[in-house]
C-alpha cells in the first residue's frame, strides 16, 4: 500500500458496473474525503468556518457538474 492509497482509500463499488457509475462513485468518494479534511481543519481551528463552507460549496458544484456530464454522456 502506497501513501496515496493510505490517505485516499477507495471502497469497492457494488452497484451496476457501468463506466459512468464507477466514475461517479470515484468522484463521490473523493468528495467525501475532501469534505472530511476540510471539516477537520475547521473543527481544529486551522481555517475559518466561512472558508470551510466556501470550499465545500465549490466541491459540491464540481460533483454536480461531474454528475451532469456523466448523465449526458449516458444518454448520448
Amino acid at each position: 500500500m502506497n501513501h496515496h492509497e493510505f490517505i485516499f482509500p477507495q471502497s469497492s463499488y457494488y452497484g451496476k458496473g457501468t463506466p459512468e457509475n464507477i466514475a461517479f462513485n470515484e468522484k463521490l468518494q473523493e468528495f467525501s474525503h475532501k469534505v472530511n479534511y476540510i471539516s477537520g481543519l475547521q473543527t481544529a481551528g486551522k481555517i475559518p468556518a466561512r472558508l470551510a463552507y466556501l470550499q465545500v460549496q465549490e466541491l459540491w458544484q464540481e460533483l454536480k457538474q461531474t454528475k451532469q456530464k456523466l448523465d449526458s454522456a449516458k444518454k448520448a
Side-chain angles (χ1 to χ4, degrees):
M1 174 183 288
N2 64 32
H3 72 280
H4 188 269
E5 291 172 343
F6 179 76
I7 295 173
F8 301 109
Q10 290 286 319
S11 299
S12 298
Y13 180 68
Y14 295 103
K16 186 175 179 188
T18 65
E20 293 87 4
N21 290 348
I22 293 170
F24 183 70
N25 182 55
E26 181 180 337
K27 290 291 184 182
L28 187 60
Q29 288 188 42
E30 180 182 328
F31 170 81
S32 173
H33 290 298
K34 288 182 179 182
V35 168
N36 189 27
Y37 287 130
I38 291 168
S39 64
L41 288 170
Q42 194 280 321
T43 301
K46 303 295 182 185
I47 61 174
R50 180 72 181 156
L51 178 59
Y53 172 79
L54 293 172
Q55 289 178 342
V56 171
Q57 188 177 32
E58 184 178 317
L59 289 172
W60 177 254
Q61 292 303 319
E62 289 174 15
L63 184 65
K64 237 169 103 172
Q65 289 174 356
T66 299
K67 177 68 173 154
Q68 290 170 348
K69 287 178 187 175
L70 290 171
D71 283 346
S72 65
K74 192 185 291 187
K75 292 176 184 175

